[in-house]
Amino acid sequence: MREPDVMRIAIAGGGYAGLSVAAHLHRYTTVPLEIDICESTAGIGNGPAYTWRNPVHVLNGEAAHLSLFEEEPDAFAEWLRELPEAAPFLRDDLPIRNQFVPRYLFADYTRQMFAAACRDESLCTIRVHLRTEIADVEQTEDGVTIALENGERRHVDRLVLATGNPPPRRLFDDVEGAVCIENPWEPEWVRRIPSGPVVMAGTGQTMIDAAVALRAAGHDGVIHAVSRRGVVPETHVYGLNARPVDGARFPSTMRGMTRFVREEVRAAQAENVDWRTVTNAVRPLSCEAWPDLPAAEQRRFFRHIAPYWWGYRQRVAPQVGASFQSLIDEGRVVVQRGRLVRIEPNGDGVHAIVAGAGGETHIAVRTLVNCTGPDLDLHHGPNALLRNVLARGYARSHATGAGLDVTRQLALIDTDGRPSDTLFTLGANTRGAFLETLAIRDIRKQSRALAKTLLRVDVSATRA
């Protein structure tokens, strides 16, 4: 039996979100604390975006925004400055804080900072359990009992669901005659595909990452990227800040917000100011306004506006954008607006039939890649813990259908509308509730707030 004055917290998931929560809890606790991180894979900090040690996969944010702790804004940039391995990726003509570096370097940084926290056990002990998955949970009068996939059961005071992005929904079901890549974040998938044309379903960031990785591996076929709207993410510009906008004028409807952004962009362009400064300025305003929007307005965003907003707001690194644009200019990537309606046999490959405004197009290919992004249907997804939490009524889907319904304090809300005092989540699971929850600084902000909630302390008054 543990001492009664020791708080025990379990974290389901050892990706960036799980490590960030644990690191913030370790930093801010003023009471004895034990943290158990259960990670289903063989390593920590290896979320889908960080699995490959591939330099073509670059962070979508400047180094200035990526330190593990908000109160140490230059920590990641300084870490890069001292890291010989980072030197080939740093430009001499720019401050390090304004540069975009490979994602695996950030994963290394996170693991190193986390390891340093684990070594200090003065008040907080952190244990990591690899190849260990929490499959179910049962609420009790004094906490929760977690059930591991191997049948073991443990009692903790609180549980954090840091399960990250789910894989895409299966799209192709092993089409005969083609190599089907259902999850392009599985390591080394590029080695499995034959030469020749490729169809990628989806035109978002996953598609860009997949396309540049495929080309870097020497693949020579034309890549056909297909989506209903054909929206491709824009590219970052080095060193841009936010353009000052009047937050008091920010509307409370989707239609009004769209008009506001367009007006501000036109005003910026009239002054020869880059439009990206407007989206940078609107980002915090949209985050603040989002939770108070009626559910109908939030659903309207996901149904009609989201692909365009993400295309302009969630931009790719400058060097990635330049590489992708060169592929388009050379005809090696073709972006097509339309809907992939069916797959038909075609000799030693298949025909991918795309329905668009001009009718159906038949594309002869040998490889199909699912770049549609995370499957938002948590009720039927691959994560047993999420399925069981929903089935038990401990949680409910958000009204948008994107993630779980949570309070502003990141507590799960059950099917009767009651917030939990033992079950919490962050990151991808909260995208419906808070909209901006996937970027590193979003998760960092949530981690800090969640640590405050779990510990019931004022974080600003604790040690730095």
Side-chain angles (χ1 to χ4, degrees):
M1 291 291 290
R2 65 181 176 88
E3 295 296 326
D5 59 345
V6 176
M7 180 186 297
R8 285 201 64 182
I9 296 174
I11 299 175
Y16 172 69
L19 299 189
S20 180
V21 171
H24 281 81
L25 285 166
H26 180 278
R27 169 166 287 214
Y28 300 138
T29 189
T30 58
V31 299
L33 179 63
E34 295 180 359
I35 301 172
D36 288 280
I37 300 176
C38 296
E39 167 55 40
S40 61
T41 70
I44 57 174
N46 287 327
Y50 307 99
T51 301
W52 291 7
R53 297 189 71 83
N54 190 336
V56 303
H57 290 155
V58 178
L59 292 163
N60 295 331
E62 295 178 321
H65 302 304
L66 305 181
S67 296
L68 185 58
F69 298 106
E70 188 175 346
E71 58 269 36
E72 299 174 359
D74 295 324
F76 180 54
E78 292 303 317
W79 183 84
L80 287 173
R81 189 188 309 278
E82 301 299 324
L83 183 70
E85 187 180 354
F89 307 110
L90 299 177
R91 291 177 46 164
D92 294 335
D93 59 335
L94 286 172
I96 293 179
R97 64 192 320 271
N98 293 131
Q99 300 198 41
F100 298 78
V101 298
R103 293 175 193 163
Y104 73 83
L105 293 179
F106 178 77
D108 290 348
Y109 162 78
T110 302
R111 283 189 287 265
Q112 186 173 319
M113 298 302 101
F114 176 75
C118 289
R119 286 193 291 270
D120 178 6
E121 296 187 348
S122 55
L123 272 179
C124 177
T125 299
I126 302 176
R127 295 181 289 261
V128 176
H129 310 274
L130 299 178
R131 296 188 176 90
T132 303
E133 186 170 3
I134 301 176
D136 202 357
V137 61
E138 183 177 354
Q139 291 184 321
T140 64
E141 291 184 359
D142 59 346
V144 295
T145 298
I146 58 175
L148 304 183
E149 195 175 35
N150 63 9
E152 183 182 347
R153 298 172 69 84
R154 301 176 185 174
H155 184 83
V156 296
D157 297 298
R158 290 160 191 168
L159 171 65
V160 177
L161 281 64
T163 50
N165 269 318
R169 176 180 57 85
R170 288 188 66 84
L171 193 62
F172 303 119
D173 289 327
D174 298 324
V175 175
E176 186 175 351
V179 174
C180 300
I181 307 298
E182 292 287 1
N183 185 358
W185 287 112
E186 292 177 349
E188 304 304 322
W189 66 268
V190 297
R191 301 182 185 278
R192 295 168 44 198
I193 70 174
S195 60
V198 176
V199 160
M200 294 187 177
T203 59
Q205 290 194 10
T206 301
M207 180 275 294
I208 292 181
D209 284 333
V212 296
L214 200 56
R215 287 307 182 197
H219 191 270
D220 58 354
V222 175
I223 297 171
H224 301 267
V226 179
S227 73
R228 291 176 61 188
R229 296 175 178 85
V231 177
V232 176
E234 294 285 344
T235 302
H236 278 290
V237 172
Y238 290 107
L240 280 185
N241 295 314
R243 169 185 169 85
V245 298
D246 184 1
R249 293 179 46 242
F250 196 65
S252 57
T253 66
M254 283 295 109
R255 188 185 300 275
M257 290 179 186
T258 302
R259 184 166 51 248
F260 178 87
V261 172
R262 287 174 175 166
E263 290 173 355
E264 290 293 334
V265 167
R266 283 195 293 267
Q269 291 174 332
E271 300 171 11
N272 290 321
V273 175
D274 195 285
W275 60 265
R276 295 165 182 82
T277 62
V278 174
T279 57
N280 291 350
V282 168
R283 188 181 195 276
L285 299 178
S286 62
C287 290
E288 185 177 345
W290 179 264
D292 294 325
L293 288 175
E297 289 289 277
Q298 294 176 339
R299 286 192 291 267
R300 185 172 294 114
F301 171 86
F302 277 100
R303 188 164 56 247
H304 300 297
I305 302 173
Y308 302 99
W309 175 244
W310 299 138
Y312 284 102
R313 223 289 298 144
Q314 293 184 333
R315 304 183 290 272
V316 298
Q319 61 266 51
V320 174
S323 296
F324 184 74
Q325 186 59 50
S326 69
L327 294 177
I328 291 179
D329 294 341
E330 296 164 9
R332 300 168 74 182
V333 171
V334 178
V335 177
Q336 184 168 343
R337 182 175 180 176
R339 187 164 55 90
L340 187 61
V341 291
R342 63 185 185 278
I343 307 294
E344 296 178 350
N346 175 40
D348 61 349
V350 297
H351 269 142
I353 290 86
V354 178
E360 289 189 350
T361 302
H362 291 230
I363 307 172
V365 297
R366 301 182 65 191
T367 303
L368 303 168
V369 185
N370 183 351
C371 297
T372 56
D375 182 4
L376 301 182
D377 182 8
L378 303 182
H379 286 272
H380 302 96
N383 190 288
L385 177 58
L386 292 177
R387 293 198 310 269
N388 287 327
V389 165
L390 287 162
R392 286 182 176 274
Y394 295 159
R396 65 185 185 188
S397 295
H398 189 264
T400 61
L404 303 174
D405 199 11
V406 297
T407 67
R408 289 181 181 268
Q409 291 72 40
L410 300 170
L412 297 188
I413 297 175
D414 68 16
T415 51
D416 293 324
R418 296 171 302 194
S420 177
D421 58 3
T422 56
L423 300 175
F424 300 83
T425 192
L426 78 163
N429 290 336
T430 67
R431 76 183 73 201
F434 302 114
L435 186 62
E436 299 281 2
T437 65
L438 301 181
I440 290 168
R441 56 179 168 175
D442 298 321
I443 296 175
R444 178 181 65 193
K445 181 179 179 180
Q446 287 190 332
S447 298
R448 189 176 192 271
L450 185 53
K452 178 178 179 179
T453 297
L454 293 172
L455 298 169
R456 300 291 193 270
V457 297
D458 180 359
V459 173
S460 64
T462 60
R463 64 185 188 277

